[in-house]
Amino acid sequence: MSIFKDCDIRGVYGEELHDDTGLRLGKALSRRLAGRIVVVGGDLRPSTPALKAALIEGLVWGGCHVIDVGTVPTPALYHAKRTLDAHGAVMVTASHNPARYNGFKLMVGDRPVTPEALEGLARDMAQGAFVPGLGTVRTRHVMADYARALERAFPRLARRRVVVDAGNGSMWDVAPGVLRRAGQEVVPLFCEPDGSFPHRSPNPAIPAHLAALRGRVREARADLGIAYDGDGDRVVFVDELGEVQPADRVLVLFLRHALAEHPGGGGRPPAVVYDLKASSVVTEETLAAGGRPLMEKSGHAFIKARLLDEDAVLGGEVSGHYFFGAIGGDDALYATLYYLRVLDAAGLSPSRALSTVPAYPITPDIRVACPPEEADAILAELERGLNDRPIDRLDGVRARFDHGWALARRSVTEPLITLRFEAHTEEELARIQERVRVASPRLARLLAEAGL
């Protein structure tokens, strides 16, 4: 697969991308950002320092004025971009991918990078379409200011015992510190910095990765468990019973609170953006709370762009990304503090709060290894085989049924096809899944080979 994904650049370090990738990317970006301020940060992966140094060399060669903010979570880089009046930002990270991966998250102006912009960068890097300039580089420590901004935004939170599972990633220090200063009793778990991620996968969105957190919450009789991804822009919550809380249902708790704080006036109702993998409950609850539900493609750049375009109050993905109009983007630590505020306002424990959110039978992401060409053939087969149902092609094929839906899409970061199903009853869920298998014999064979 290409290292140029829909939302970022990502691949296996030493195989799919190299230090020279960083150098050439810096030079290509300089064609768009020469003479402008660009903030650069990186995560804890062993390959990050070399990639980051090469990127900065390319940016300076091309005439950019780089502010190196060091090793930071991705949300701290975004905060630095806002407060330092920078025009561009680059984070060296592979986010939730395993340690052997690395890559780059990009912003040019106030917008996340688009697939078209990434294609343009890929062409420039391949052709060597570079223009030399005279840039500069300086360092700036931004973590203390980032932490203070969060603490100011969430004063007077009720005290709780919380287990913080940083997964040895970028939130290892700032999350426990901010939460303590916000009045929480913090029980740390995997809060030693180690970009090889020795204790668990950097992806907390898969419940199997959170066994240690679930056990520690029960053992410590904690009120909440909090798990961050590798670069600190995703968060997954575990309730006081040790149960993982689905991100789309947590989003419902968030949107109820947000829409109560921002009721619609005479104009358009306030918007909530969510990815097409989210439960139908998000749509229903947004409407019930007086909001405007907006479905969008999965991927942080797509959700963030829609949040900005629609001046939305809130956004979310089932992966654990939460986006806030107040900060113009996503931040897992901001989301953590926001959840504590939501619980304070409700006067409920996490499990009791989530029990107020309706739940339909829904599958987790069913991820099946599949070459991109085969995935495209399956999607075409599904579109033909389900042509009697309303179909959304926002991202892959999402077929709507009377009491549920089915989604098949290509992963934007890995050679996989991802499936997800929801229905109002278990019987309807089984019927929808069987209808999808009949509609695509290719998919049925792939699932059978995978034992699914």
Side-chain angles (χ1 to χ4, degrees):
M1 291 182 72
S2 169
I3 63 172
F4 294 90
K5 314 302 182 184
D6 281 353
C7 297
D8 55 23
I9 299 169
R10 201 176 303 191
V12 177
Y13 180 73
E15 297 178 17
E16 298 173 311
L17 84 171
H18 309 267
D19 297 345
D20 184 62
T21 310
L23 179 67
R24 296 172 71 83
L25 174 62
K27 291 180 176 181
L29 276 170
S30 295
R31 293 193 62 189
R32 297 145 178 86
L33 295 169
R36 311 299 289 269
I37 297 173
V38 183
V39 291
V40 175
D43 69 10
L44 290 159
R45 294 163 193 270
S47 57
T48 291
L51 279 172
K52 182 163 156 282
L55 171 76
I56 290 173
E57 181 183 346
L59 288 167
V60 172
W61 179 91
C64 294
H65 300 295
V66 174
I67 301 177
D68 180 358
V69 297
T71 303
V72 296
T74 294
L77 178 85
Y78 296 154
H79 174 81
K81 182 183 180 299
R82 292 192 298 269
T83 57
L84 298 176
D85 196 29
H87 190 71
V90 186
M91 180 73 181
V92 182
T93 183
S95 188
H96 61 286
N97 280 58
R100 68 182 186 277
Y101 287 81
N102 215 324
F104 307 89
K105 290 182 179 178
L106 314 172
M107 281 188 70
V108 176
D110 294 328
R111 312 291 301 176
V113 71
T114 65
E116 294 76 22
L118 286 168
E119 288 174 7
L121 286 168
R123 285 194 300 271
D124 287 352
M125 290 167 66
Q127 296 168 2
F130 309 137
V131 179
L134 186 61
T136 60
V137 60
R138 57 191 171 100
T139 60
R140 183 75 175 262
H141 299 291
V142 300
M143 289 304 296
D145 186 65
Y146 168 65
R148 282 192 296 270
L150 289 167
E151 292 157 23
R152 287 194 299 267
F154 294 94
R156 299 181 298 279
L157 295 172
R159 185 172 180 81
R160 291 179 176 82
R161 179 178 296 168
V162 299
V163 180
V164 175
D165 173 4
N168 303 108
S170 296
M171 282 291 181
W172 70 277
D173 182 48
V174 67
V178 165
L179 286 165
R180 286 191 182 102
R181 290 189 293 275
Q184 309 307 300
E185 179 187 347
V186 172
V187 179
L189 177 66
F190 308 147
C191 286
E192 305 79 27
D194 188 339
S196 68
F197 308 118
H199 294 109
R200 69 159 171 86
S201 163
N203 182 4
I206 298 175
H209 297 167
L210 301 183
L213 175 60
R214 297 176 66 193
R216 184 63 63 86
V217 166
R218 289 190 290 261
E219 176 188 280
R221 297 186 178 180
D223 300 298
L224 184 67
I226 305 156
Y228 298 106
D229 74 335
D231 69 325
D233 59 3
R234 297 184 182 197
V235 61
V236 174
F237 299 106
V238 169
D239 70 22
E240 76 280 7
L241 305 177
E243 298 300 320
V244 178
Q245 298 197 303
D248 47 359
R249 295 183 70 211
V250 172
L251 180 63
V252 170
L253 297 177
F254 284 14
L255 71 86
R256 288 173 177 170
H257 188 82
L259 293 174
E261 290 187 320
H262 301 88
R268 291 193 304 173
V272 174
V273 183
Y274 53 93
D275 71 318
L276 76 175
K277 295 192 290 184
S279 168
S280 303
V281 171
V282 177
T283 306
E284 295 165 3
E285 290 284 324
T286 301
L287 290 169
R292 181 163 45 98
L294 299 173
M295 186 184 295
E296 186 50 79
K297 290 180 69 171
S298 296
H300 70 275
F302 299 119
I303 303 290
K304 184 173 181 176
R306 192 75 179 277
L307 181 94
L308 296 172
D309 289 343
E310 301 284 351
D311 194 24
V313 297
L314 187 66
E317 290 188 284
V318 299
S319 62
H321 263 130
Y322 298 99
F323 302 76
F324 301 88
I327 58 173
D330 54 327
D331 183 331
L333 186 47
Y334 188 102
T336 302
L337 295 162
Y338 193 87
Y339 192 22
L340 295 174
R341 177 187 283 173
V342 167
L343 294 174
D344 284 355
L348 297 172
S349 69
S351 66
R352 291 291 300 278
L354 202 71
S355 72
T356 70
V357 179
Y360 297 137
I362 189 170
T363 68
D365 275 359
I366 301 168
R367 295 154 55 86
V368 186
C370 182
E373 300 78 11
E374 179 68 7
D376 288 339
I378 288 171
L379 294 178
E381 207 169 51
L382 285 172
E383 190 167 15
R384 292 191 300 270
L386 298 172
N387 62 7
D388 61 322
R389 307 305 312 171
I391 290 178
D392 297 313
R393 286 306 308 263
L394 183 66
D395 184 10
V397 172
R398 188 181 190 274
R400 288 177 283 151
F401 295 84
D402 292 339
H403 300 291
W405 50 266
L407 172 67
R409 58 185 288 272
R410 272 177 55 181
S411 169
V412 298
T413 57
E414 300 172 81
L416 302 168
I417 189 164
T418 301
L419 310 172
R420 196 170 175 91
F421 305 88
E422 183 183 57
H424 286 188
T425 67
E426 293 288 354
E427 293 76 17
E428 288 170 322
L429 186 67
R431 281 197 292 272
I432 290 172
Q433 289 175 296
E434 181 58 27
R435 175 69 197 280
V436 166
R437 288 175 185 265
V438 171
S440 173
R442 287 174 179 265
L443 178 60
R445 285 194 298 272
L446 193 68
L447 292 171
E449 291 167 2
L452 297 171

